[in-house]
Amino acid sequence: MLIVFVTNKIISVDTILPILLEAKQCNNQRIVVVVSRKKGIQAIENNIVINDTINKIGFKFLFGGRYRNRWYKRTIGSIQFLLLFIAGIFRAKFIHFDILHTVPMKILSKFFKSRVFYSERDSIKNHNATHYHKNKFGKKYSEGSYPLPLGGNIISYYDDRLYYYFGRKVHEKRNVYQLGPTRARDSWVNYINNSSSYYFNKFHKGVDISNGIIFIVLTFYDIESKTFNEEDRLSQRKLRQNFENTVDVLSNIKGDIPVFLKPHSYTDLEYVNSILSEYSGFHITYLHPSMLIQNSRFVICNYYTTILGDAHNLGVTTIEYTYYANYIRKAIGDGSQQPNFVDWFVYDDKNKFKDVVTMLVDRNFERRHSVKDDNLRQRDALLTDLC
């Protein structure tokens, strides 16, 4: 049995799911996904492909149940933890994502250390997005001084982040599996490829995707947030204008190619729908990004997203048509936050964006369903130890 404690953000389960799928395929491993809060399980259930895949390979449950009464939750949570502990006695293995130590993982790690695996939350490189954590005295950890994660094993997706948190001697203290991007693994790509027709027919029946799609990744577009300063609000107004330009340009040159727009959990959909109401051939979708990427001619975003990393890894052209607040530009320079994953960076220039899209629309379309796996040896070692 493989028991996975995911965080409340969908990115953790999205990162580990391809590995869980392989564990199920290679050894019929029983998979249990444990979610700590209601917000987390709602995020999973709102992501159609992720939710269905978890149900195919195992099951999920909310730690403490869906009760509002805290005593009920504590009682149910205690029973659930006891069952998980018993599963550990019977050789179950555990995966978690917590850099900071939590009580349940402390107990499991104390008794089953060699079978507890810490995984990084994101398998896409993002050098500029360092997450700072504070110790019990309220001070930020310095580079290389973070406490080692609980358990005897670390699943890492690229060296820089691993060494930033835990230092270059981490291999002497933990068994480290170094993998590449999980959503570029052959098993996941093939699984998505084989499932694609079913989901498009179910949720976008009648939309012809035989000649490819254009995929837009939506961002915030919220100018009313109380957490924003005036510079942030200006940035959001600019991003709104760029989104409107994006839709306007595409409407004039896309022809019969459908455009699929995937919202983020915080996207202002009321605003987005008000813009799309004036156009045809644009479809809001909740399908998995991997599924949309495989059918994409190119991917557009108005603000950098790790989805561009997934697209790049599958060889799909990426465009970032954006605007950054001044304090962000001072930190990253004149280009994208992640230039390695952006083929075309267009900064607040509608005419340049139009030129790029016009060129790309004229290219022949080819579905992407194969990748180069540079981490086969490490992948096999991890699966051997998980199974």
Side-chain angles (χ1 to χ4, degrees):
M1 180 180 290
L2 188 55
I3 300 169
V4 187
F5 294 82
V6 300
T7 70
N8 295 320
K9 293 187 176 182
I10 198 69
I11 193 168
S12 63
V13 68
D14 200 16
T15 295
I16 204 67
L17 193 56
I19 296 174
L20 304 182
L21 182 67
E22 288 187 43
K24 182 69 174 181
Q25 291 172 342
C26 76
N27 199 36
N28 199 28
Q29 185 75 282
R30 191 177 185 186
I31 309 295
V32 180
V33 175
V34 184
V35 190
S36 61
R37 294 185 181 179
K38 187 176 180 180
K39 180 180 178 181
I41 207 157
Q42 287 174 338
I44 291 174
E45 291 171 347
N46 289 337
N47 282 265
I48 303 154
V49 177
I50 289 178
N51 191 54
D52 286 356
T53 304
I54 291 174
N55 293 336
K56 286 178 182 177
I57 65 176
F59 65 93
K60 64 184 182 300
F61 69 84
L62 179 61
F63 197 76
R66 298 178 186 252
Y67 302 98
R68 291 186 177 181
N69 186 292
R70 66 176 181 174
W71 297 109
Y72 282 167
K73 289 183 71 69
R74 287 181 179 179
T75 301
I76 296 299
S78 297
I79 295 171
Q80 290 171 334
F81 183 75
L82 177 60
L83 294 174
L84 294 173
F85 189 87
I86 293 172
I89 294 174
F90 286 92
R91 308 300 297 172
K93 295 173 182 177
F94 304 90
I95 298 177
H96 72 100
F97 297 83
D98 293 306
I99 288 182
L100 303 185
H101 299 175
T102 60
V103 173
M105 290 314 306
K106 282 183 179 180
I107 297 173
L108 293 174
S109 184
K110 181 177 181 180
F111 287 91
F112 315 117
K113 182 176 180 179
S114 66
R115 287 182 278 120
V116 173
F117 296 73
Y118 162 77
S119 171
E120 296 172 346
R121 299 186 184 193
D122 186 4
S123 67
I124 299 296
K125 291 184 179 181
N126 193 349
H127 300 294
N128 296 321
T130 302
H131 299 284
Y132 296 102
H133 298 272
K134 296 180 180 180
N135 61 24
K136 62 183 179 180
F137 303 109
K139 293 184 177 181
K140 292 179 180 179
Y141 291 105
S142 59
E143 182 175 347
S145 69
Y146 282 71
L148 285 169
L150 292 168
N153 310 279
I154 296 176
I155 304 172
S156 175
Y157 305 105
Y158 71 98
D159 292 346
D160 289 352
R161 178 168 51 201
L162 174 71
Y163 298 144
Y164 180 88
Y165 282 130
F166 308 121
R168 293 190 172 272
K169 293 185 178 181
V170 64
H171 297 272
E172 301 174 7
K173 304 170 185 177
R174 294 291 189 272
N175 184 27
V176 179
Y177 302 88
Q178 293 177 292
L179 309 180
T182 57
R183 290 180 295 276
R185 297 164 84 92
D186 291 341
S187 59
W188 179 252
V189 173
N190 292 333
Y191 172 76
I192 291 296
N193 184 46
N194 294 333
S195 306
S196 182
S197 295
Y198 166 77
Y199 283 101
F200 274 101
N201 287 332
K202 182 175 181 179
F203 295 101
H204 300 288
K205 191 174 181 64
V207 180
D208 182 7
I209 64 169
S210 61
N211 196 31
I213 69 172
I214 298 170
F215 176 19
I216 300 177
V217 188
L218 299 176
T219 188
F220 210 174
Y221 308 122
D222 185 357
I223 59 176
E224 304 297 335
S225 175
K226 295 180 180 179
T227 62
F228 285 163
N229 58 34
E230 189 54 41
E231 190 172 358
D232 291 324
R233 292 191 184 92
L234 171 62
S235 176
Q236 290 300 315
R237 285 193 290 269
K238 285 283 192 177
L239 292 178
R240 280 192 172 196
Q241 184 61 60
N242 287 343
F243 170 68
E244 293 167 23
N245 292 343
T246 299
V247 174
D248 182 57
V249 167
L250 290 176
S251 69
N252 291 318
I253 64 176
K254 69 182 183 65
D256 295 330
I257 302 170
V259 179
F260 284 80
L261 305 93
K262 183 169 178 62
H264 197 283
S265 58
Y266 50 60
T267 297
D268 185 345
L269 277 176
E270 183 178 351
Y271 159 71
V272 170
N273 284 322
S274 70
I275 301 301
L276 297 183
S277 64
E278 302 177 10
Y279 300 91
S280 61
F282 292 80
H283 311 273
I284 297 291
T285 184
Y286 294 93
L287 297 183
H288 195 277
S290 294
M291 196 165 286
L292 297 165
I293 289 168
Q294 283 194 14
N295 290 278
S296 293
R297 287 172 160 269
F298 49 89
V299 180
I300 302 169
C301 71
N302 293 134
Y303 197 85
Y304 178 78
T305 165
T306 54
I307 291 175
L308 295 192
D310 289 328
H312 174 82
N313 289 329
L314 282 178
V316 176
T317 301
T318 58
I319 307 170
E320 183 180 358
Y321 173 32
T322 192
Y323 179 89
Y324 289 135
N326 287 332
Y327 66 88
I328 296 178
R329 296 203 81 189
K330 287 180 181 178
I332 67 173
D334 293 332
S336 171
Q337 296 183 50
Q338 299 296 323
N340 290 342
F341 297 142
V342 178
D343 295 308
W344 295 95
F345 181 74
V346 181
Y347 190 78
D348 201 27
D349 187 334
K350 182 178 180 180
N351 290 329
K352 182 179 178 182
F353 174 73
K354 182 178 179 180
D355 291 341
V356 171
V357 172
T358 301
M359 174 191 64
L360 294 176
V361 164
D362 290 336
R363 290 182 178 178
N364 292 330
F365 169 65
E366 178 183 354
R367 289 190 80 247
R368 307 304 173 117
H369 49 76
S370 63
V371 294
K372 179 182 179 182
D373 193 339
D374 293 323
N375 301 277
L376 186 60
R377 182 180 60 82
Q378 284 287 343
R379 181 194 68 184
D380 290 345
L382 174 62
L383 285 177
T384 298
D385 291 346
L386 286 179
C387 296

Coordinates of all heavy atoms in Angstrom, one line a residue, residues 47-116:
N47 N -11.0 19.2 -10.3 CA -10.1 18.9 -11.4 C -10.5 17.5 -11.9 O -10.1 16.5 -11.4 CB -8.6 19.0 -11.0 CG -8.1 20.4 -10.9 OD1 -7.5 20.9 -11.8 ND2 -8.4 21.0 -9.8
I48 N -11.2 17.5 -13.0 CA -11.9 16.3 -13.5 C -10.9 15.1 -13.7 O -11.2 14.0 -13.2 CB -12.7 16.6 -14.8 CG1 -13.6 17.7 -14.6 CG2 -13.4 15.4 -15.3 CD1 -13.9 18.5 -15.8
V49 N -9.9 15.3 -14.4 CA -9.0 14.2 -14.8 C -8.2 13.7 -13.6 O -8.1 12.5 -13.4 CB -8.0 14.7 -15.9 CG1 -7.0 13.6 -16.3 CG2 -8.8 15.1 -17.2
I50 N -7.8 14.6 -12.7 CA -7.0 14.2 -11.5 C -7.9 13.4 -10.6 O -7.6 12.3 -10.1 CB -6.5 15.5 -10.8 CG1 -5.4 16.1 -11.6 CG2 -6.1 15.1 -9.4 CD1 -4.8 17.4 -10.9
N51 N -9.2 13.9 -10.4 CA -10.1 13.2 -9.5 C -10.4 11.8 -10.1 O -10.4 10.8 -9.4 CB -11.4 14.0 -9.4 CG -12.3 13.4 -8.3 OD1 -11.9 13.3 -7.2 ND2 -13.5 13.1 -8.7
D52 N -10.7 11.7 -11.4 CA -11.0 10.4 -12.0 C -9.8 9.4 -11.9 O -9.9 8.2 -11.7 CB -11.4 10.6 -13.5 CG -12.8 11.2 -13.6 OD1 -13.5 11.3 -12.6 OD2 -13.2 11.4 -14.8
T53 N -8.6 10.0 -12.1 CA -7.4 9.1 -12.1 C -7.2 8.6 -10.7 O -6.8 7.4 -10.5 CB -6.2 9.9 -12.5 OG1 -6.4 10.5 -13.8 CG2 -4.9 9.0 -12.6
I54 N -7.3 9.4 -9.7 CA -7.2 8.9 -8.3 C -8.2 7.8 -8.0 O -7.9 6.8 -7.4 CB -7.4 10.1 -7.3 CG1 -6.2 11.0 -7.4 CG2 -7.5 9.5 -5.9 CD1 -6.4 12.3 -6.5
N55 N -9.4 8.0 -8.5 CA -10.5 7.0 -8.3 C -10.2 5.7 -9.0 O -10.6 4.6 -8.6 CB -11.8 7.5 -8.7 CG -12.3 8.6 -7.8 OD1 -11.9 8.7 -6.6 ND2 -13.2 9.5 -8.3
K56 N -9.4 5.8 -10.1 CA -9.1 4.6 -10.9 C -8.0 3.8 -10.2 O -8.0 2.5 -10.3 CB -8.6 5.0 -12.3 CG -9.8 5.4 -13.2 CD -9.2 5.8 -14.6 CE -10.3 6.3 -15.5 NZ -9.8 6.7 -16.8
I57 N -7.0 4.5 -9.6 CA -5.9 3.8 -9.1 C -6.0 3.5 -7.5 O -5.2 2.8 -7.0 CB -4.6 4.5 -9.3 CG1 -4.5 5.9 -8.6 CG2 -4.3 4.7 -10.8 CD1 -3.3 6.7 -8.8
G58 N -7.0 4.1 -6.9 CA -7.1 4.0 -5.5 C -8.3 4.8 -4.9 O -9.4 4.8 -5.6
F59 N -8.1 5.4 -3.8 CA -9.2 6.3 -3.3 C -8.6 7.4 -2.5 O -7.4 7.4 -2.1 CB -10.2 5.5 -2.5 CG -9.6 4.9 -1.2 CD1 -9.7 5.5 0.0 CD2 -9.0 3.6 -1.2 CE1 -9.2 5.0 1.2 CE2 -8.5 3.1 -0.1 CZ -8.6 3.8 1.1
K60 N -9.4 8.4 -2.1 CA -8.9 9.5 -1.4 C -9.9 9.7 -0.2 O -11.0 9.3 -0.2 CB -8.9 10.8 -2.2 CG -10.3 11.2 -2.7 CD -10.2 12.5 -3.6 CE -11.6 12.9 -4.1 NZ -12.3 11.9 -4.8
F61 N -9.4 10.4 0.9 CA -10.3 10.7 2.0 C -9.8 12.0 2.6 O -8.6 12.3 2.6 CB -10.5 9.6 3.0 CG -9.3 9.3 3.8 CD1 -9.0 10.0 5.0 CD2 -8.5 8.2 3.4 CE1 -7.9 9.6 5.7 CE2 -7.4 7.9 4.2 CZ -7.1 8.6 5.4
L62 N -10.7 12.7 3.3 CA -10.4 13.9 4.0 C -10.1 13.6 5.5 O -10.9 13.0 6.2 CB -11.6 14.9 4.0 CG -11.5 16.2 4.7 CD1 -10.3 17.0 4.1 CD2 -12.8 17.0 4.6
F63 N -8.9 14.0 5.9 CA -8.5 13.6 7.3 C -9.4 14.3 8.3 O -9.6 15.6 8.2 CB -7.0 14.1 7.5 CG -6.4 13.5 8.7 CD1 -5.9 12.2 8.6 CD2 -6.2 14.2 9.8 CE1 -5.3 11.6 9.7 CE2 -5.6 13.6 10.9 CZ -5.1 12.3 10.9
G64 N -10.1 13.6 9.1 CA -11.0 14.1 10.1 C -12.4 14.2 9.5 O -13.4 14.6 10.2
G65 N -12.6 13.8 8.3 CA -14.0 13.8 7.7 C -14.5 15.2 7.3 O -13.7 16.2 7.5
R66 N -15.7 15.3 6.9 CA -16.3 16.6 6.5 C -17.1 17.2 7.6 O -18.0 18.0 7.3 CB -17.1 16.4 5.2 CG -16.3 15.9 4.0 CD -17.2 15.7 2.8 NE -16.4 15.1 1.7 CZ -16.0 15.7 0.6 NH1 -16.3 17.0 0.4 NH2 -15.4 15.1 -0.4
Y67 N -16.9 16.8 8.8 CA -17.7 17.3 9.9 C -17.3 18.7 10.3 O -16.1 19.0 10.2 CB -17.5 16.4 11.2 CG -17.9 14.9 10.9 CD1 -17.0 14.0 10.6 CD2 -19.3 14.6 11.0 CE1 -17.4 12.7 10.4 CE2 -19.7 13.3 10.8 CZ -18.7 12.3 10.5 OH -19.1 11.0 10.2
R68 N -18.2 19.5 10.8 CA -17.9 20.9 11.2 C -17.5 20.9 12.7 O -16.7 21.7 13.1 CB -19.1 21.8 11.0 CG -19.4 22.0 9.5 CD -20.5 23.1 9.4 NE -20.7 23.4 8.0 CZ -21.6 24.3 7.5 NH1 -22.4 25.0 8.4 NH2 -21.8 24.5 6.3
N69 N -18.1 20.0 13.5 CA -17.8 19.9 14.9 C -16.4 19.4 15.1 O -16.0 18.3 14.6 CB -18.8 18.9 15.6 CG -18.7 18.9 17.1 OD1 -17.6 18.5 17.6 ND2 -19.7 19.4 17.8
R70 N -15.6 20.2 15.8 CA -14.2 19.9 15.9 C -13.9 18.6 16.7 O -12.9 17.9 16.5 CB -13.4 21.0 16.6 CG -13.8 21.4 18.0 CD -12.9 22.5 18.5 NE -13.2 22.8 19.9 CZ -12.5 23.6 20.6 NH1 -11.4 24.2 20.1 NH2 -12.8 23.9 21.9
W71 N -14.8 18.3 17.7 CA -14.7 17.0 18.4 C -14.9 15.8 17.5 O -14.2 14.8 17.7 CB -15.6 17.0 19.6 CG -15.3 18.1 20.6 CD1 -16.0 19.3 20.8 CD2 -14.1 18.3 21.4 NE1 -15.4 20.1 21.7 CE2 -14.2 19.5 22.1 CE3 -12.9 17.5 21.6 CZ2 -13.2 19.9 23.0 CZ3 -12.0 17.9 22.4 CH2 -12.1 19.1 23.1
Y72 N -15.9 15.9 16.7 CA -16.1 14.8 15.7 C -14.9 14.7 14.8 O -14.4 13.5 14.6 CB -17.3 15.1 14.8 CG -18.7 14.8 15.5 CD1 -19.9 15.3 14.9 CD2 -18.8 14.1 16.7 CE1 -21.1 15.0 15.5 CE2 -20.0 13.9 17.3 CZ -21.1 14.3 16.7 OH -22.3 14.1 17.3
K73 N -14.4 15.8 14.4 CA -13.2 15.8 13.5 C -12.0 15.1 14.2 O -11.3 14.3 13.6 CB -12.9 17.2 13.0 CG -13.9 17.7 12.0 CD -13.4 19.1 11.5 CE -12.2 19.0 10.5 NZ -12.6 18.3 9.3
R74 N -11.8 15.5 15.4 CA -10.7 14.9 16.1 C -10.8 13.4 16.4 O -9.9 12.7 16.2 CB -10.5 15.7 17.5 CG -10.0 17.1 17.4 CD -9.8 17.7 18.7 NE -9.3 19.1 18.6 CZ -9.1 19.9 19.6 NH1 -9.4 19.4 20.9 NH2 -8.6 21.1 19.5
T75 N -12.1 13.0 16.7 CA -12.3 11.6 16.9 C -12.1 10.8 15.6 O -11.4 9.8 15.6 CB -13.7 11.4 17.4 OG1 -13.9 12.1 18.6 CG2 -14.0 9.9 17.7
I76 N -12.7 11.3 14.5 CA -12.5 10.6 13.2 C -11.1 10.6 12.8 O -10.5 9.6 12.3 CB -13.4 11.3 12.2 CG1 -14.9 11.1 12.5 CG2 -13.2 10.7 10.8 CD1 -15.4 9.7 12.6
G77 N -10.4 11.8 13.0 CA -9.0 11.9 12.6 C -8.1 10.9 13.4 O -7.2 10.3 12.8
S78 N -8.4 10.7 14.7 CA -7.7 9.8 15.5 C -7.8 8.4 15.0 O -6.9 7.6 15.0 CB -8.1 9.9 17.0 OG -7.8 11.2 17.5
I79 N -9.1 8.0 14.7 CA -9.3 6.7 14.2 C -8.6 6.5 12.8 O -8.0 5.4 12.6 CB -10.9 6.4 14.0 CG1 -11.5 6.5 15.4 CG2 -11.1 5.1 13.3 CD1 -13.0 6.5 15.3
Q80 N -8.7 7.5 11.9 CA -8.0 7.4 10.6 C -6.5 7.2 10.8 O -5.9 6.4 10.1 CB -8.4 8.6 9.8 CG -9.8 8.7 9.3 CD -10.1 10.0 8.7 OE1 -9.5 11.0 9.0 NE2 -11.1 10.0 7.8
F81 N -5.9 8.0 11.7 CA -4.5 7.9 11.9 C -4.1 6.5 12.5 O -3.1 6.0 12.1 CB -4.0 9.0 12.8 CG -2.5 9.0 13.0 CD1 -1.7 9.5 12.0 CD2 -1.9 8.5 14.2 CE1 -0.3 9.5 12.1 CE2 -0.6 8.5 14.3 CZ 0.2 9.0 13.3
L82 N -4.9 6.0 13.3 CA -4.6 4.7 13.9 C -4.6 3.6 12.8 O -3.7 2.8 12.7 CB -5.7 4.3 14.9 CG -5.5 2.9 15.5 CD1 -4.2 2.7 16.2 CD2 -6.7 2.6 16.5
L83 N -5.6 3.7 11.8 CA -5.6 2.8 10.7 C -4.4 3.0 9.8 O -3.8 2.0 9.3 CB -6.9 3.0 9.9 CG -8.2 2.7 10.6 CD1 -9.4 3.0 9.8 CD2 -8.3 1.2 11.0
L84 N -4.0 4.2 9.6 CA -2.8 4.5 8.8 C -1.5 3.9 9.5 O -0.7 3.3 8.8 CB -2.6 6.0 8.6 CG -3.7 6.7 7.7 CD1 -3.4 8.2 7.7 CD2 -3.6 6.2 6.3
F85 N -1.5 4.0 10.8 CA -0.4 3.5 11.6 C -0.3 2.0 11.4 O 0.7 1.4 11.3 CB -0.4 3.9 13.0 CG 0.8 3.6 13.8 CD1 1.8 4.5 13.9 CD2 0.9 2.4 14.5 CE1 3.0 4.1 14.6 CE2 2.0 2.0 15.2 CZ 3.0 2.9 15.3
I86 N -1.5 1.3 11.5 CA -1.6 -0.1 11.4 C -1.1 -0.5 10.0 O -0.4 -1.5 9.8 CB -3.0 -0.6 11.7 CG1 -3.3 -0.4 13.1 CG2 -3.2 -2.1 11.3 CD1 -4.8 -0.6 13.5
A87 N -1.5 0.3 9.0 CA -1.1 0.0 7.6 C 0.5 0.1 7.5 O 1.1 -0.7 6.8 CB -1.7 1.0 6.6
G88 N 1.1 1.0 8.3 CA 2.5 1.1 8.3 C 3.1 -0.2 8.9 O 4.2 -0.6 8.5
I89 N 2.5 -0.7 9.9 CA 3.0 -2.0 10.5 C 3.0 -3.1 9.5 O 3.9 -3.9 9.5 CB 2.1 -2.4 11.7 CG1 2.3 -1.3 12.9 CG2 2.5 -3.8 12.2 CD1 1.4 -1.5 14.0
F90 N 2.0 -3.0 8.6 CA 1.9 -4.0 7.5 C 2.7 -3.6 6.2 O 2.3 -3.9 5.1 CB 0.5 -4.4 7.2 CG -0.2 -5.2 8.3 CD1 -0.8 -4.6 9.3 CD2 -0.1 -6.6 8.2 CE1 -1.4 -5.4 10.3 CE2 -0.6 -7.4 9.2 CZ -1.3 -6.8 10.3
R91 N 3.7 -2.8 6.4 CA 4.7 -2.5 5.3 C 4.2 -1.4 4.4 O 4.7 -1.3 3.3 CB 5.1 -3.7 4.6 CG 5.7 -4.9 5.4 CD 6.9 -4.5 6.2 NE 8.0 -4.1 5.4 CZ 9.1 -3.6 5.8 NH1 9.3 -3.3 7.1 NH2 10.1 -3.3 5.0
A92 N 3.2 -0.6 4.7 CA 2.8 0.5 3.8 C 3.9 1.5 3.7 O 4.7 1.6 4.7 CB 1.5 1.1 4.3
K93 N 3.9 2.2 2.6 CA 4.9 3.3 2.4 C 4.2 4.6 2.4 O 3.0 4.7 1.9 CB 5.7 3.0 1.2 CG 6.6 1.8 1.4 CD 7.3 1.3 0.1 CE 8.1 0.0 0.4 NZ 8.7 -0.5 -0.8
F94 N 4.8 5.7 2.8 CA 4.2 7.0 2.9 C 5.0 8.0 2.1 O 6.2 8.1 2.1 CB 4.2 7.4 4.4 CG 3.5 6.5 5.3 CD1 4.2 5.4 5.9 CD2 2.1 6.5 5.5 CE1 3.6 4.5 6.8 CE2 1.5 5.6 6.4 CZ 2.2 4.6 7.0
I95 N 4.2 8.9 1.4 CA 4.8 10.1 0.7 C 4.2 11.3 1.3 O 2.9 11.4 1.5 CB 4.5 10.0 -0.8 CG1 5.2 8.8 -1.4 CG2 5.1 11.3 -1.5 CD1 4.9 8.6 -2.9
H96 N 5.0 12.3 1.6 CA 4.5 13.6 2.1 C 5.2 14.8 1.4 O 6.2 14.6 0.8 CB 4.6 13.7 3.6 CG 6.0 13.9 4.1 ND1 6.5 15.1 4.5 CD2 7.0 13.0 4.3 CE1 7.7 14.9 4.9 NE2 8.1 13.7 4.8
F97 N 4.7 16.0 1.6 CA 5.3 17.2 1.0 C 5.6 18.3 2.0 O 5.9 19.4 1.6 CB 4.2 17.8 0.0 CG 3.9 16.8 -1.1 CD1 2.9 15.9 -1.0 CD2 4.5 17.0 -2.4 CE1 2.6 15.0 -2.0 CE2 4.2 16.1 -3.4 CZ 3.2 15.1 -3.2
D98 N 5.7 18.0 3.2 CA 5.9 19.0 4.3 C 7.4 19.2 4.5 O 8.1 18.4 5.1 CB 5.2 18.6 5.6 CG 3.7 18.6 5.4 OD1 3.2 19.7 4.9 OD2 3.0 17.6 5.7
I99 N 7.9 20.4 4.2 CA 9.2 20.8 4.6 C 9.3 21.0 6.1 O 10.2 20.6 6.8 CB 9.7 22.1 3.9 CG1 9.9 21.8 2.4 CG2 10.9 22.7 4.5 CD1 10.4 23.0 1.6
L100 N 8.2 21.7 6.7 CA 8.2 21.9 8.1 C 7.5 20.6 8.7 O 6.6 20.1 8.1 CB 7.4 23.1 8.4 CG 8.0 24.4 7.8 CD1 7.2 25.6 8.3 CD2 9.5 24.6 8.2
H101 N 7.9 20.2 9.9 CA 7.5 19.0 10.5 C 6.1 19.1 11.1 O 5.8 20.0 11.9 CB 8.5 18.5 11.5 CG 9.9 18.3 11.0 ND1 11.0 18.0 11.7 CD2 10.4 18.4 9.7 CE1 12.1 17.9 11.0 NE2 11.7 18.1 9.7
T102 N 5.3 18.1 10.8 CA 3.9 18.0 11.4 C 3.8 16.8 12.3 O 4.6 15.8 12.1 CB 2.9 17.9 10.3 OG1 3.1 16.8 9.5 CG2 2.9 19.2 9.3
V103 N 2.9 16.8 13.2 CA 2.8 15.8 14.2 C 2.6 14.4 13.6 O 3.3 13.4 13.9 CB 1.7 16.1 15.2 CG1 1.5 14.9 16.2 CG2 2.1 17.4 16.0
P104 N 1.6 14.2 12.7 CA 1.4 12.9 12.1 C 2.6 12.3 11.4 O 3.0 11.2 11.6 CB 0.2 13.1 11.1 CG -0.5 14.3 11.6 CD 0.6 15.2 12.2
M105 N 3.3 13.2 10.7 CA 4.5 12.7 10.0 C 5.7 12.4 10.9 O 6.5 11.5 10.7 CB 4.9 13.7 8.9 CG 4.0 13.8 7.7 SD 3.5 12.2 7.0 CE 5.1 11.4 6.7
K106 N 5.7 13.2 12.0 CA 6.8 12.9 13.1 C 6.6 11.5 13.6 O 7.6 10.7 13.8 CB 6.7 13.9 14.2 CG 7.3 15.3 13.9 CD 7.2 16.2 15.1 CE 7.8 17.5 14.8 NZ 7.7 18.4 16.0
I107 N 5.3 11.1 13.9 CA 5.1 9.8 14.5 C 5.4 8.7 13.4 O 6.0 7.7 13.8 CB 3.6 9.7 14.9 CG1 3.4 10.7 16.1 CG2 3.3 8.3 15.4 CD1 1.9 10.8 16.5
L108 N 4.8 8.9 12.2 CA 5.1 7.9 11.2 C 6.6 7.7 10.9 O 7.1 6.6 10.7 CB 4.3 8.2 9.9 CG 2.8 8.2 10.1 CD1 2.1 8.7 8.8 CD2 2.3 6.7 10.4
S109 N 7.3 8.9 10.8 CA 8.7 8.8 10.5 C 9.5 8.2 11.6 O 10.5 7.5 11.3 CB 9.2 10.2 10.2 OG 10.5 10.2 9.8
K110 N 9.1 8.4 12.8 CA 9.8 7.8 14.0 C 9.8 6.2 13.9 O 10.8 5.6 14.2 CB 9.2 8.2 15.3 CG 9.9 7.7 16.5 CD 9.3 8.2 17.8 CE 10.1 7.7 19.0 NZ 9.5 8.2 20.3
F111 N 8.6 5.7 13.5 CA 8.5 4.2 13.5 C 8.8 3.6 12.1 O 9.2 2.4 12.1 CB 7.0 3.9 13.9 CG 6.7 4.1 15.4 CD1 6.2 5.3 15.8 CD2 7.0 3.1 16.3 CE1 6.0 5.5 17.2 CE2 6.8 3.3 17.6 CZ 6.2 4.5 18.1
F112 N 8.6 4.4 11.0 CA 8.7 3.8 9.7 C 9.6 4.6 8.8 O 9.4 4.8 7.6 CB 7.4 3.6 9.0 CG 6.3 3.1 9.9 CD1 5.2 3.8 10.3 CD2 6.4 1.8 10.4 CE1 4.2 3.3 11.1 CE2 5.4 1.2 11.2 CZ 4.3 2.0 11.6
K113 N 10.7 5.1 9.3 CA 11.6 6.1 8.7 C 12.0 5.7 7.3 O 12.0 6.5 6.3 CB 12.8 6.4 9.5 CG 13.7 7.5 8.9 CD 14.9 7.9 9.8 CE 15.7 8.9 9.1 NZ 16.9 9.3 10.0
S114 N 12.4 4.4 7.1 CA 12.9 4.0 5.8 C 11.8 3.9 4.8 O 12.1 3.8 3.6 CB 13.6 2.6 6.0 OG 12.6 1.6 6.4
R115 N 10.6 3.9 5.2 CA 9.4 3.8 4.3 C 8.7 5.2 4.1 O 7.5 5.2 3.7 CB 8.5 2.7 4.7 CG 9.1 1.3 4.4 CD 8.2 0.2 4.7 NE 8.3 -0.1 6.1 CZ 7.2 -0.1 7.0 NH1 6.1 0.3 6.5 NH2 7.4 -0.5 8.2
V116 N 9.3 6.2 4.6 CA 8.6 7.6 4.5 C 9.4 8.4 3.5 O 10.7 8.5 3.6 CB 8.6 8.3 5.9 CG1 8.1 9.7 5.7 CG2 7.7 7.6 6.8

